[in-house]
Amino acid sequence: MISKQLIDEFIKALDEEIKALKEGKGGTIVKIFDGHFIRKESKFFIYSFKLENFITTIDDTPVEVKVDSSRYEGEIIQTRELEVIIGIKHDFGKLIPEAKLIIKLYFLYELLKKKFEAIRNGQLHVDFTLANLVFEGKTSNVPSSTTIPPLESHVNMPNQSQLEAIKKSQSLPLSFIWGPPGTGKTKTLARIVECFLKQGMRILVVAHSNAAVDEATEDIAEILKNTEYYTQGQIIRLGNYQKHTLETKYNFVIFEKIVEKLAETLKRKKEVLEECKNRVEQKLKPLTSVWEDIQKREALLGEVKQLINIQNSIEKEITGIRTQIAQWENDLDKLRIKLHKAKSSGILKRFFLGLNPEKIQQEINQLTVLLNDTQNKLHERKLKLQEIKYQRSVKEKDIDSLQQRTNSLLKNLGLSKERIEIEIQKLIAEKKRISDQIKEIQNELNKLPKHVLSKAKVICTTLTKTFSAQEFPDTPFDVLVVDEASMAPMPYLYWALGRCRKSAVIVGDFLQLPPICVSESNIAKKWLGRNIYQHLHIDTPSKAKRDKRVCLLDTQYRMNPAISSISNEMFYEGLLKDDTITHTLNMCDGLSEFPLTIIDTTSASPWCSRLRSGSRFNIYHALLAVTAAKKILENKHYEVGIITPYTAQTKLIRKITEDMKIDRIHVATVHRFQGGETDIVIFDTVESPGVKIAPML
C-alpha cells in the first residue's frame, strides 16, 4: 500500500474516531477535586487532582480547567486510577478545592488529521520513506555485519538474549525487540540507544504515555550519566515528565534545565553588559543634563533676541502712533477754532470765506472717532510692550541662572562647553554598541531552546508530541525507537517514522493490549484499534519465532517462577526462563505460604451483575479482594494492586477502599495497569453466577 493510500485511510479512520468522540462516546466533562500543586514546569503549573469517575484519555491531550466561572488552558500529563495530573497555564497557589475538567478527546486526532490532509494537498512535505517500508513490511531481514561498540560499565550488564537484541537492532533497518513482562525491555532499549549514539546516530525515542517515556529516559540517563552525552545535555526529555527521580537524579535530561544551564554563560555576559550600560548611562546623565542646559540657554537667547526685535518694533510703532495722535490733536484744535469762527460770522461772510458749520462739525466728529481709536490702539500696544519686557526679563533671569549652573557643572566635570558635546557623542555610541550586544545575546537566548533540540542526540517524548509540540525539532532523526509499541496507534507511529530516515526499533510485547478505539467503524478499528504487530502479522509466539526481525528477551527477573509459569505456559509457549534471583522473590503476605494463591468462591455463590454498558461488578468479590489487601498491608513494607477486567468493579473496589481508609493500594482495570508493577497483585475475575462468563475469560 503506497503512502497516499495509507494517508487516505488514516484520514478516514481519524475522522470516524472524531465523530464517535463528538457524539459523546468518549465523554467530555469530568468533575475533579482536591487539586494539589506539584511543581512549576515551563509554561505549566502542575497539579494532582482526584477524579469523580475514571476517564479514558491520551497523555498530552489539551484540556480546559474550569474554576468558578473562568476557564484555563492545560494538558493532561498522566492518569492513574482515580488521579489525574494536569498542567495548567495559571497559578492557583497550593490548592484547587474543586474544578471541572473539560476534555477535548478528539483534539489530537483532529490535529493529526489536518497534518495528513496538508500532506495530501501538497501544503506540507514529510519524507515517509522509512514509514512506508515499515508499514509495507518490505524492510530487509538479512542482518548486516555490525559490531556493537563497547558498552558503558554498569552493575546490571545485558544478558545473552539482551545482547542479541542489541546486535539485531544495529544490523537491521527494522527490528522488533519482544519484551515480555520483567525481561528488562526498557533497560535493553537504553543499551540500544547507547549503541546508536556511539555510532554517531541521532535517535528519537517515543512511547504512548508519559510514564513509559519517563522510564525509558531514566534508564538511558542511568547508563550514560558519566558520558558527555548526558553532561552536555544531548539527551533530552521533551514534554511533561512526571517521574520525580528525573528531577532529583537526572535533571540534566529535562529540557528546561538543559536550556537554563546552557544559557548561564550568555546570561552572565548579558548581566555584565547591562552593568556596563548602566555605568555609561550614569556617566551620560550629568553630561546630558549640562548639554540640555546649554541647549536651553541657547534657545532662550534666541527667544530673547526675538523679544528684543518685537520690543523695538512695538516701541517704534508707539512712537509713530504718538506722532499721529499729536498731529490729529493739532488738527482738531484748528477745526474747533474754525467752527467757532463760522458760528460767529454772518451768512454772507460764511459764504465768501467758505465756512460751513455743519461740515466743520462733521469733520470734527470723524477726527474725534479716529483719535479715540488710535489712543485705544496706543494703550493696547503699551500693554503689549509691558508684557514683552516682562517676558524678556524672566528669560534673561533664566539665562543667567542656566549660565551659572552650566559653568558650575562644567567646572565640576572638568570639561569645556566645546568638549562636552564630543564626550556625549562618544558615550551615546558606546551605549548603542553595548545595547546591540545585549540585543544579540537576547536573540541567542530566544533561539537557544530550538538550537538545543536541533543539536540533541537523543530526544525522548510521547508519540503525540511528535506532531503537536511546536518546539519539536525540524531536523530529521536517524533512528526511531518505540517503547510499549502494542499501545501505539498506527497513524501516530507512521507520523513518528516520518521524522526518521535510517532505521526503526519496535520495542514491546504483542501479547499486551492494543490501543483503545471508540468508533465501531471498520476503518477506525483497522488503524486505531490494532497495533503494528497485528498489521505486520507478528502477533503470536509462533509467528514471532519465524520472523528474523524479532528478537525475544527470554529471561524474566520480576516474578517468582510459580507466578511466571502461568503466563509462560498459557501465552508464551514456554519460551521464557526465570533468572535465579526470582527464586528468592518470596513474601509473607499473611494469607498463604505460596507465591501464587487461588481463591475459589464457588461455595459462596457470589452474584455477578451486569450494567447496560456491558461492564460487570460483583460485591462479594470486591469485599473479598479489599479484605485480603487489608490483611496483606498489615506488613507495612508491601504495596498491593487489585486488578480487574471491568471498570464497574474497579469503581466498586475503589469506593470500598476509600470507606475503609486503606492506603498503599492501587486499583485499576487490566488495561490501565498494563506496564505497571507492585509487590503483590490481587486479580479479581468478577465472574460468578448471574451472567455468562465473558469470552475474554
Side-chain angles (χ1 to χ4, degrees), residues 80-81 587-589 628-643 662-667 673 676-682:
R80 299 182 302 207
E81 303 165 21
M587 295 182 179
C588 180
D589 59 18
K630 185 178 180 182
K631 177 67 177 174
I632 294 168
L633 291 172
E634 290 176 2
N635 186 323
K636 296 184 179 180
H637 298 292
Y638 297 157
E639 287 194 356
V640 177
I642 301 179
I643 307 171
I662 303 175
D663 296 323
R664 292 183 294 124
I665 184 168
H666 306 284
V667 184
F673 201 80
E677 60 180 272
T678 189
D679 297 321
I680 297 172
V681 169
I682 298 172

Side-chain angles (χ1 to χ4, degrees), residues 152 236 352 357 586:
E152 296 296 313
I236 295 178
F352 284 107
N586 295 300

Side-chain angles (χ1 to χ4, degrees), residues 561 563-576:
I563 301 172
S564 66
S565 62
I566 296 176
S567 58
N568 192 15
E569 292 172 11
M570 293 183 66
F571 304 108
Y572 295 102
E573 298 183 358
L575 295 173
L576 299 183

Side-chain angles (χ1 to χ4, degrees), residues 306-368:
Q306 289 180 348
L307 290 173
I308 290 172
N309 291 335
I310 294 170
Q311 180 181 336
N312 292 338
S313 176
I314 293 173
E315 286 175 343
K316 184 177 180 181
E317 186 180 358
I318 287 173
T319 299
I321 292 172
R322 282 176 173 166
T323 301
Q324 185 67 60
I325 289 173
Q327 178 64 44
W328 284 342
E329 284 178 342
N330 184 49
D331 292 345
L332 194 59
D333 288 341
K334 289 179 180 181
L335 285 171
R336 285 178 182 141
I337 293 170
K338 188 176 180 180
L339 178 61
H340 177 73
K341 185 177 180 179
K343 287 182 178 180
S344 60
S345 300
I347 295 172
L348 189 60
K349 188 176 180 178
R350 290 178 192 169
F351 177 78
F352 284 107
L353 293 176
L355 298 172
N356 185 340
E358 290 81 5
K359 186 177 179 181
I360 294 171
Q361 185 62 52
Q362 186 179 5
E363 289 178 1
I364 289 172
N365 291 342
Q366 290 176 346
L367 190 56
T368 300

Side-chain angles (χ1 to χ4, degrees), residues 12 37 213 220 243 250 268 280 321 361 367 542 561 651:
K12 290 175 184 177
F37 177 74
V213 176
I220 294 168
K243 196 164 188 181
Y250 310 105
R268 282 197 296 268
V280 170
I321 292 172
Q361 185 62 52
L367 190 56
S542 58
K651 290 181 180 179

Side-chain angles (χ1 to χ4, degrees), residues 496-532:
L497 284 162
R499 311 308 294 263
C500 304
R501 296 292 175 265
K502 294 183 179 179
S503 61
V505 182
I506 309 297
V507 183
D509 183 1
F510 49 77
L511 294 177
Q512 301 290 318
L513 294 172
I516 296 173
C517 178
V518 175
S519 173
E520 294 295 329
S521 73
N522 291 332
I523 193 73
K525 287 180 178 180
K526 177 181 178 181
W527 293 116
L528 297 171
R530 300 188 313 141
N531 55 41
I532 190 64

Side-chain angles (χ1 to χ4, degrees), residues 439-505:
K439 186 177 179 181
E440 185 177 335
I441 290 173
Q442 188 57 54
N443 287 336
E444 287 184 48
L445 286 170
N446 294 339
K447 293 175 183 177
L448 189 57
K450 198 167 185 68
H451 174 76
V452 167
L453 287 171
S454 68
K455 297 298 180 182
K457 299 295 185 182
V458 180
I459 290 183
C460 305
T461 191
T462 56
L463 281 162
T464 57
K465 287 294 184 188
T466 63
F467 61 84
S468 66
Q470 291 183 351
E471 64 271 26
F472 193 86
D474 297 325
T475 310
F477 296 83
D478 298 307
V479 181
L480 177 69
V481 178
V482 186
D483 196 13
E484 301 288 0
S486 71
M487 284 291 292
M490 282 193 276
Y492 289 25
L493 178 59
Y494 187 82
W495 181 269
L497 284 162
R499 311 308 294 263
C500 304
R501 296 292 175 265
K502 294 183 179 179
S503 61
V505 182

